[in-house]
């Protein structure tokens, strides 16, 4: 395997790569396809020990879990299960999807137990299990919102009720538990839920789908985790049913639910972004396990089109507040970007699935971009306040959020401790806890390193031979990555690394030889023995990035990136809140500043106030240039309310010159 | 009075202008302030005889009224009144505000009867009156949606129920009728409604406001039309109550209802655009009639700020689909512009009120801009299909609307025959029918001509002396306006004309003398006698307009205007749907094409497809230049689905040059 310029996909000397079959097994992975080109290395085989993500995993463990638990107890969302168990009539607390937040927290706790063996996490998981399971009906149905005394009937509001969505998250928590701890009360309850759904919505049951996809991906993984193919078949049935207008809502339109076009016929993601991405993940799972090449190709094509035309520089997806949805092609406004944190997580879920099949670095590149610039942007440093939306500009500073009241989901430019619709905090919790699962894969030929973090990897190749590596790096602020082989197979094997799409100029040093490599997957070295060290140098010098000219919202602007990090200018560093008057000088390359900051030269253009903002005269020529500091986008708004821009205007030429 | 460069406001030689007091009277005007600087000339004194608006009034009369009536009968919205009269329980047809559409249609019919004496219009008005009045409760309450058998209680949903909003439109229909035909069953019913509201929501009644402002402006005008000051006091009370968070909705936020800040403390319009503008009109009315200078100044300041920072080139208002609302300052996206037709109409309502007090040409300029580019854009040529939203760009052609089913309000790039929420068609109908009311005013010094249309004006100055004019023009495509005096006061009087803000270079010829004049109000001639002719030449050559650099959405683009018309490029004329690849050459002045079209030179830039739309390379240098035709924005989408742009990208310089 060698990298070929312009090709990001792994190739095998022998031609087509072998696909690995994975019979039902219990590795600690979030995604376990029946077969794949790359075999995921379980999170339990990867210990992130230092740096960017280790820090976030520590905060997640020490603060975010307890924070989410506190809010959900306080607001009565967990208490809803006690009320349902007691058969109490409404009022019930929270929105129709509140149950799912408890389940996502439980999924996160399951991963956390596997990651660290933390006793509090285990205890909390068990306590929540007891309360959840007590609310289950004898026939397996489980919801605190429907079907109880004084409540609407089961499945009486499939458009908005989120019943199957909630069940899906319960099942995902159970899958995480099955793969990390084995069967317990929760996993048994989840199987009863799944059996109930199969009975209720099977080929001879209700001809219906849930307004919010999620059950598809959950049932597909439950099938993988249990070996019970009925769940995969049910997931496939839900996927096939969608797209024929079964969901009705006068105002919102069927595109919102992806109910406008069947998944296998669609060419691009559209409608509600989280819905679209969860659905795609589920559709891809059933395509892979069912050998449905047409469906698989459809999802892959949708990923390509969506990434090429409907994705933000940050990796964020969802251009519209209205319907929390994708927009049209190249509709990517900065200030009104929705880019929901959950959509970023869902995008990572989908890209990982594609990567396992494709070995195409573009899938891992987008994961990295999204992890650093959306997933890491969501929580604050303390892990107790969260962005729901992740715009690429703020033109007004916004107002501080309340520490005591849940915020509206997209109301402020500040992170909020909790939301009325609080899907993002628990989604962050489960994703950060399981991050180790996305670092590496293996195949017959060796091990592939997809994400760079100081970590210890101890795993086995498909033939059972052990590999142990120590990865040491200050990435993403430092581009040097040192990989030490601690234990190696006796047979030939390749250590493959990913050179990100921006990484032209990267070098690899191995066996005393340093060579330049191109973006894509590259065999760093072959047949390394224990004690060998490979040094990778990624070019993380700040660079200027320009947008496709079809993106109206950022015409004649430039962004600054360094390594996988997108940078931004904040008013606290600019000396003015009116950032649109500052023009980036693109002739002077940006350079590293203190710590993780970057310095650029900016000219300040005085803009005269006018009673009408349109006229024959264009911009003034900006005068003077001063250096300004940019900070990584993921940590914007950490210093109080501010205005912010990722895309900085370029100097304007007078019209006609 | 002479125009002063840089000053758009009329000034009097003697200093402060006299304010005219208007005791309760019945002139055929939509707005009759208790006192004003300029006295509105009734629509019955102005006959638009030919050209742009005459054509639209004819279509409105012959097609739009009957079209709206047909749809509202077919959908059962009028039948709702019959059901309510019969005491029948639900189901009732249509949305909660359906009653208001019948009232707006009736207001339009009232104006139409006054304009032309049309017998069908009178008959239809009376027939509708009978059905509406039959549904009124003995205590004056009138709604088909609340308070009846099986319906929710009166005023049980002030946030969303639209009860007072509907009552407001009933009252406005009655005011139109009072001022054009005198008392009848409808006006008596409307007074009973108003009396009921005063009793129910007065100082000792419910301490509440309606989610959708409208009752304020309606009660203020009813007070003017009846001389009953209780209605003004109630309107003032509603205005004062708003802004203290009386309206509760977890998701939408109080700004949507303008319930975040009291009107007198607000500095800019915000939230739902139609709500904000109707509220401002009502607040201004009570400020004027009540002598509340602080409230008056607040509304004037809000107009200034909104026009300077939150208004589209077309005059359109409302930047967000979400909440149909104003955005932040300079948040003016083209593709996602909401610019609801009704918001354009509401803006005309507000600006006219300010103009009557200010004599400031900026208020009339915005009215003209909005009339030609929003109000005229709404309906198609046939007057039977309508835009709900008026974006300044479409990047995908959209889909044809159904002729048989009501459309979602903002679903397509095509005009639709009717909507689920169908506020715009009837709003167009009442506005077009009453357009004559916005053409001219008088004061002690003479007559002021605000809008140019071939018309006959026969009116009286405040002292009773008669003035008759014939205006002949091909405006807005022809800049020549000939004003012939048919009858003149024997005493000294001024004929004042408005030179639009874009009109630098205009000339006026009078008494054989031709002189250059500046934008603003200009005395065209003084003491003209019958037979005298004044010739005004407005510079309507196409011009290039550039945006304020703070508007991210249109950075590095230019628009073309000619006279009051905004132009656009449509794909049917461009030969490609991907209009973003075309670059306007700003060095070649646009020139007149066939009819009302304009020709520009455009370079075509091939844009290579890329899997990721961000990178180190900027735009290619566009090659070749070809002439392309632009059409007036108001008639875009008349030739089937197309993509469209008002703001055309300018050529890009390679970064760093």
């Amino acid at each position: 395997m060698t990298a070929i310029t312009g090709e990001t996909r792994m190739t095998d000397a022998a031609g087509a790569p072998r696909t690995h079959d994975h019979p039902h097994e219990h590795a600690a992975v979030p995604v376990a396809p029946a077969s794949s080109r790359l075999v995921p290395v379980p999170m339990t085989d990867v210990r992130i020990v230092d740096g960017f993500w280790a820090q976030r995993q520590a905060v997640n463990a020490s603060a975010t879990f307890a924070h989410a638990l506190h809010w959900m107890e306080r607001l009565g969302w967990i208490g809803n299960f006690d009320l349902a168990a007691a058969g109490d009539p409404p009022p019930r607390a929270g929105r129709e999807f509140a149950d799912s937040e408890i389940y996502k927290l439980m999924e996160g706790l399951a991963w956390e137990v596997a990651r660290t063996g933390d006793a509090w996490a285990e205890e909390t998981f068990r306590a929540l299990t007891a309360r959840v399971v007590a609310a289950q009906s004898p026939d397996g149905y489980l919801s605190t919102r429907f079907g109880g005394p004084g409540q609407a009937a089961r499945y009486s509001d499939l458009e908005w009720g989120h019943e199957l969505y909630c069940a899906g998250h319960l099942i995902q928590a159970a899958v995480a538990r099955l793969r990390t701890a084995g069967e317990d009360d929760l996993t048994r309850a989840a199987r009863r839920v799944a059996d109930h759904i199969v009975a209720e919505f099977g080929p001879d049951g209700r001809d219906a789908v849930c307004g919010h996809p999620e059950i598809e991906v959950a049932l597909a993984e439950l099938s993988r985790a249990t070996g019970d193919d009925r769940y995969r078949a049910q997931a496939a049935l839900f996927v096939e049913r969608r797209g024929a207008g079964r969901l009705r809502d006068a105002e919102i339109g069927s595109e919102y639910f992806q109910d406008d076009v069947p998944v296998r016929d669609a060419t691009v993601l559209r409608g509600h972004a989280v819905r679209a991405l969860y659905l795609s993940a589920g559709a891809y799972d059933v395509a892979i396990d069912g050998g449905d090449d047409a469906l698989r190709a459809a999802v892959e094509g949708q990923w390509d089109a969506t990434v090429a035309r409907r994705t933000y520089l940050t990796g964020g997806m969802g251009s519209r507040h209205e319907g929390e949805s994708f927009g049209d092609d190249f509709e990517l406004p900065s200030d009104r970007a929705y880019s929901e944190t959950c959509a970023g997580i869902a995008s990572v879920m989908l890209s990982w699935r594609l990567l396992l099949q494709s070995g195409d670095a573009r899938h891992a590149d987008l994961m990295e971009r999204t992890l650093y610039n959306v997933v890491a942007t969501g929580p604050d440093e303390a892990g107790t306040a969260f962005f729901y939306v992740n715009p690429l500009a703020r033109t007004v500073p916004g107002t501080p959020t309340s520490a005591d009241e849940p915020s509206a989901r997209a109301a402020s430019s500040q992170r909020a401790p909790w939301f009325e619709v609080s899907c993002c905090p628990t989604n962050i919790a489960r994703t950060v806890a399981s991050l180790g699962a996305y670092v590496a894969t293996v195949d017959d030929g060796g091990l592939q390193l997809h994400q760079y973090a100081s970590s210890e990897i101890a795993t086995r190749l498909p033939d059972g031979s052990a590999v142990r590596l120590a990865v040491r790096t200050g990435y993403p602020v430092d581009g040097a990555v040192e990989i030490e082989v601690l234990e190696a197979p006796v047979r030939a094997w390749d250590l493959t690394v990913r050179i990100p799409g921006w990484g032209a100029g990267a070098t690899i040093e191995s066996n005393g030889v340093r060579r330049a490599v191109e973006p894509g997957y590259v065999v760093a070295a072959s047949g390394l023995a224990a004690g060998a060290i490979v040094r990778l140098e990624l070019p993380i010098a700040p660079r200027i990035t320009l947008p496709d000219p079809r993106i109206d919202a950022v015409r004649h602007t430039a962004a600054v990136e360094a390594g996988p990090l997108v940078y931004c200018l904040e008013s606290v560093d600019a000396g003015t809140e009116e950032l649109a008057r500052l023009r980036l000088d693109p002739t002077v390359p940006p350079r590293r500043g203190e710590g993780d900051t970057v310095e650029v030269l900016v000219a300040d253009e005085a803009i005269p106030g006018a009673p009408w903002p349109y006229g024959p005269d264009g911009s003034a020529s900006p005068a003077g240039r001063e250096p300004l500091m940019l900070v990584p986008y993921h940590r914007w708004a950490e210093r109080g309310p501010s205005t912010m821009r990722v895309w900085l205007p370029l100097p304007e030429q007078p019209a006609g010159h």
Side-chain angles (χ1 to χ4, degrees), chain A:
Chain A
M1 267 196 283
T2 48
I4 300 167
T5 306
E7 261 292 341
T8 59
R9 197 176 283 254
M10 291 182 205
T11 51
D12 287 80
R18 185 172 89 86
T19 293
H20 299 268
D21 296 321
H22 316 296
H24 150 54
E25 41 183 89
H26 279 315
V29 296
V31 183
S35 68
S36 61
R37 172 165 183 180
L38 305 178
V39 183
V41 170
M43 58 171 292
T44 40
D45 290 0
V46 177
R47 204 159 62 88
I48 302 175
V49 293
D50 195 20
F52 191 95
W53 290 114
Q55 161 75 6
R56 278 155 181 83
Q57 289 194 315
V59 166
N60 192 52
S62 66
T64 304
F65 284 123
H67 174 85
L69 190 71
H70 162 76
W71 273 91
M72 295 198 288
E73 282 287 19
R74 180 187 146 186
L75 296 175
W77 299 4
I78 305 177
N80 286 338
F81 289 93
D82 309 333
L83 295 176
D88 285 350
R92 164 190 171 275
R95 292 288 300 268
E96 55 274 34
F97 31 72
D99 293 1
S100 72
E101 307 313 335
I102 286 85
Y103 302 148
K104 286 196 306 213
L105 177 66
M106 293 179 76
E107 182 188 334
L109 290 167
W111 297 125
E112 189 63 20
V113 170
R115 189 177 78 86
T116 61
D118 185 78
W120 177 87
E122 175 67 23
E123 214 170 277
T124 304
F125 184 92
R126 290 182 187 210
L128 289 172
T129 293
R131 293 168 75 180
V132 164
V133 168
Q136 189 165 32
S137 300
D139 68 351
Y141 181 82
L142 208 179
S143 162
T144 72
R145 173 70 179 74
F146 289 90
Q151 292 183 325
R154 293 178 183 181
Y155 309 122
S156 57
D157 182 13
L158 281 165
E159 278 80 7
W160 298 106
H162 287 77
E163 279 161 287
L164 296 179
Y165 168 84
C166 288
H169 278 300
L170 170 61
I171 291 168
Q172 285 212 319
V175 167
R177 190 67 171 172
L178 272 175
R179 289 178 176 156
T180 53
E183 285 200 15
D184 69 1
D185 286 350
L186 189 86
T187 70
R188 283 184 287 270
R191 289 202 66 166
R192 287 199 302 275
V193 166
D195 292 342
H196 159 79
I197 290 170
V198 168
E200 190 78 20
F201 290 90
D204 304 322
R206 295 175 189 262
D207 180 17
V209 297
C210 181
H212 199 314
E214 160 62 26
I215 188 66
E216 297 82 359
V217 70
L219 285 173
E221 283 298 331
L222 184 65
S223 170
R224 293 166 173 179
T226 61
D228 189 334
D229 193 57
R230 292 178 308 138
Y231 304 143
R232 186 200 57 76
Q234 184 65 45
L237 189 57
F238 280 137
V239 169
E240 289 306 316
R241 280 182 187 157
R242 193 172 297 264
R246 284 178 174 81
L247 298 164
R248 296 275 170 199
D249 186 281
E251 277 276 304
I252 200 101
S254 59
E255 183 181 279
Y256 174 86
F257 305 107
Q258 294 76 47
D259 200 27
D260 53 338
V261 180
V263 179
R264 64 176 65 249
D265 298 333
T267 56
V268 69
L269 298 185
R270 70 237 172 270
H272 188 277
V274 177
R275 282 171 165 79
L277 289 157
Y278 283 178
L279 175 64
S280 299
Y284 201 70
D285 285 347
V286 299
I288 294 303
D289 289 12
D292 186 339
D293 290 344
L295 181 60
R296 172 183 168 166
V299 175
E300 289 169 352
Q302 292 162 33
W303 188 95
D304 287 344
T306 303
V307 171
R309 300 186 245 132
R310 299 187 175 189
T311 301
Y312 283 99
L313 182 65
T314 54
M317 294 184 181
S319 302
R320 297 181 180 174
H321 279 242
E322 196 204 16
E324 309 186 300
S325 62
F326 285 101
D328 290 326
D329 286 351
F330 303 110
E331 179 192 327
L332 293 160
S334 291
D335 51 352
R336 297 297 288 169
Y338 204 71
S339 182
E340 184 180 336
T341 304
C342 287
I345 289 168
S347 166
V348 168
M349 287 168 53
L350 177 60
S351 294
W352 178 244
R353 283 165 163 81
L354 270 62
L355 177 64
L356 291 179
Q357 302 302 331
S358 70
D360 185 335
R362 289 193 303 127
H363 297 137
D365 281 1
L366 187 72
M367 289 178 66
E368 176 178 59
R369 182 176 288 277
T370 309
L371 286 168
Y372 278 108
N373 300 295
V374 180
V375 177
T377 307
D380 69 353
E381 279 181 51
T384 56
F386 307 86
F387 277 130
Y388 192 111
V389 297
N390 295 281
L392 280 73
R394 277 290 308 196
T395 59
V396 286
T399 46
T401 54
S402 166
D404 288 331
E405 292 291 324
S407 292
R409 49 184 129 177
S412 171
S413 69
Q414 299 293 288
R415 293 175 183 87
W418 204 251
F419 301 93
E420 306 276 359
V421 176
S422 214
C423 44
C424 298
T426 54
N427 229 346
I428 287 284
R430 68 175 182 144
T431 304
V432 171
S434 59
L435 265 181
Y438 303 111
V439 169
T441 57
V442 293
D443 66 5
D444 286 344
L447 183 142
Q448 301 82 36
L449 205 51
H450 302 288
Q451 304 297 337
Y452 297 111
S454 286
S455 49
E456 291 169 11
I457 301 172
T459 192
R460 289 181 185 278
L461 303 187
D463 68 359
S465 46
V467 182
R468 278 203 302 132
L469 304 175
V471 180
R472 289 180 284 269
T473 179
Y475 196 79
V477 177
D478 187 338
V481 182
E482 186 180 272
I483 307 164
E484 183 178 358
V485 179
L486 303 178
E487 187 179 349
V490 287
R491 64 163 178 93
W493 70 289
D494 294 337
L495 173 63
T496 298
V497 297
R498 179 180 59 92
I499 310 299
W502 45 262
T507 60
I508 293 175
E509 186 189 327
S510 171
N511 298 320
V513 179
R514 187 176 192 79
R515 68 188 209 274
V517 289
E518 296 292 330
Y521 283 103
V522 175
V523 175
S526 294
L528 291 172
I533 291 182
V534 170
R535 288 192 178 82
L536 169 62
E537 193 72 45
L538 293 165
I540 53 114
R543 62 190 188 274
I544 286 192
T545 296
L546 300 170
D548 187 293
R550 288 166 292 195
I551 307 175
D552 279 319
V554 293
R555 175 170 290 109
H556 207 65
T557 67
V560 173
E561 299 181 275
L565 300 181
V566 172
Y567 278 73
C568 69
L569 175 62
E570 277 196 275
S571 54
V572 284
D573 299 314
T576 173
E577 286 181 352
E578 198 169 77
L579 302 182
R581 61 192 267 184
L582 303 176
R583 305 300 180 100
L584 177 70
D585 186 335
T587 64
V588 181
R591 60 180 196 191
R592 283 271 164 203
E594 287 287 302
D596 59 1
T597 67
V598 162
E599 202 178 273
V600 292
L601 271 192
V602 163
D604 191 351
E605 173 189 9
I607 302 174
W612 180 242
Y614 311 102
D617 303 319
S619 296
S621 280
R625 297 188 309 183
E626 51 167 343
L628 279 183
M629 189 177 88
L630 308 184
V631 298
Y633 173 76
H634 68 75
R635 66 176 176 87
W636 92 272
E638 289 275 13
R639 294 169 290 170
S642 66
T643 63
M644 178 274 293
R645 291 187 74 102
V646 166
W647 294 101
L648 304 176
L650 294 172
E652 198 68 56
Q653 316 292 328
H657 300 269

